[in-house]
Amino acid sequence: GQARLQRGSERASVDITGTGNRDGMDVQALRATMPQGRLDATGNVAWTPTLKWNADATLAGFDPGYFLPDWPGAINGKLTSTGELRAGSKGLLAHVDAGKLGGQLRKRALSGRATVDIDGDAWRGDVAIGLGNSRIDAKGSIASTMQVEANLAPLHLDDLLPDGKGVLRGTLKLRGARDAPDSAIDLDGRGIAFGEYSEEYLSVKGCRA
């Protein structure tokens, strides 16, 4: 299969080669190329009796802006993902690992790594990302109980959100029952705005046990 995408005077192409049948497909090669770089991936996908996938990808200057217009860039890194969309209440089971991230996103320098595991409504993750002037370190799990730690050192909202403004810095810790966790918060913000929310000054400090 082939697809051709155009953004202004620039063009990108997506080419896929694989074999399969009504039960699934082995992808020998999936390549997305654009003037800034490319993405190369292999894997397999099954769609009966449930949707399952296994994929590995290498990014070398890949520009996601052809697919997500608010997120242009040139990203380097390695991606792996496995998953299954299970029937009934079990929901999604998935693992995503993004390593050796580099390049730039939305004209901001990008670096770091991220690992996320999803099992229905239970989540586990470990993220260390630098984007522009922002640094986000967060890890933890959320299930019937939660244990989450995050450090913003700092977070410039316009680095993360196309319509965001302002700066947040500080730490957040949550432990205990999902619906009423113990918390330790030390956050300060200035000029915060996103969507319909805005706050010139923000200070949240305290513990709840």
Side-chain angles (χ1 to χ4, degrees):
Q2 295 181 328
R4 299 293 180 259
L5 308 172
Q6 185 157 345
R7 183 181 62 189
S9 61
E10 297 181 332
R11 293 185 178 183
S13 62
V14 180
D15 297 274
I16 183 170
T17 302
T19 59
N21 52 38
R22 66 182 62 190
D23 296 323
M25 179 178 181
D26 289 323
V27 179
Q28 281 86 43
L30 186 155
R31 173 171 290 183
T33 59
M34 59 275 301
Q36 300 87 345
R38 72 187 199 191
L39 174 149
D40 291 283
T42 59
N44 55 71
V45 58
W47 33 79
T48 60
T50 61
L51 176 65
K52 295 183 179 180
W53 70 89
N54 187 335
D56 294 278
T58 299
L59 288 68
F62 174 71
D63 183 357
Y66 284 92
F67 308 92
L68 302 169
D70 290 334
W71 298 89
I75 301 175
N76 306 319
K78 299 280 189 179
L79 293 176
T80 62
S81 178
T82 59
E84 176 183 357
L85 186 58
R86 300 172 296 186
S89 61
K90 293 183 178 180
L92 178 65
L93 177 67
H95 170 80
V96 180
D97 186 25
K100 300 180 179 179
L101 295 176
Q104 58 93 8
L105 184 63
R106 298 182 57 244
K107 298 182 179 180
R108 294 159 169 83
L110 172 68
S111 63
R113 57 173 177 78
T115 301
V116 177
D117 289 283
I118 305 169
D119 186 353
D121 62 355
W123 294 65
R124 180 182 299 274
D126 188 348
V127 176
I129 297 291
L131 182 60
N133 295 313
S134 300
R135 175 71 187 187
I136 305 168
D137 293 279
K139 61 181 179 179
S141 61
I142 300 174
S144 58
T145 62
M146 65 169 58
Q147 183 171 332
V148 176
E149 295 184 10
N151 183 34
L152 311 178
L155 169 60
H156 292 255
L157 290 185
D158 61 350
D159 286 338
L160 192 64
L161 303 172
D163 62 347
K165 297 179 181 179
V167 181
L168 270 173
R169 66 178 70 242
T171 59
L172 169 69
K173 295 181 180 180
L174 301 173
R175 297 177 185 271
R178 183 170 184 163
D179 57 351
D182 298 337
S183 61
I185 303 173
D186 186 356
L187 291 174
D188 290 294
R190 182 181 295 269
I192 303 299
F194 56 91
E196 298 181 355
Y197 176 84
S198 64
E199 193 74 48
E200 186 61 29
Y201 299 101
L202 175 67
S203 181
V204 182
K205 302 178 188 292
C207 297
R208 177 184 180 275

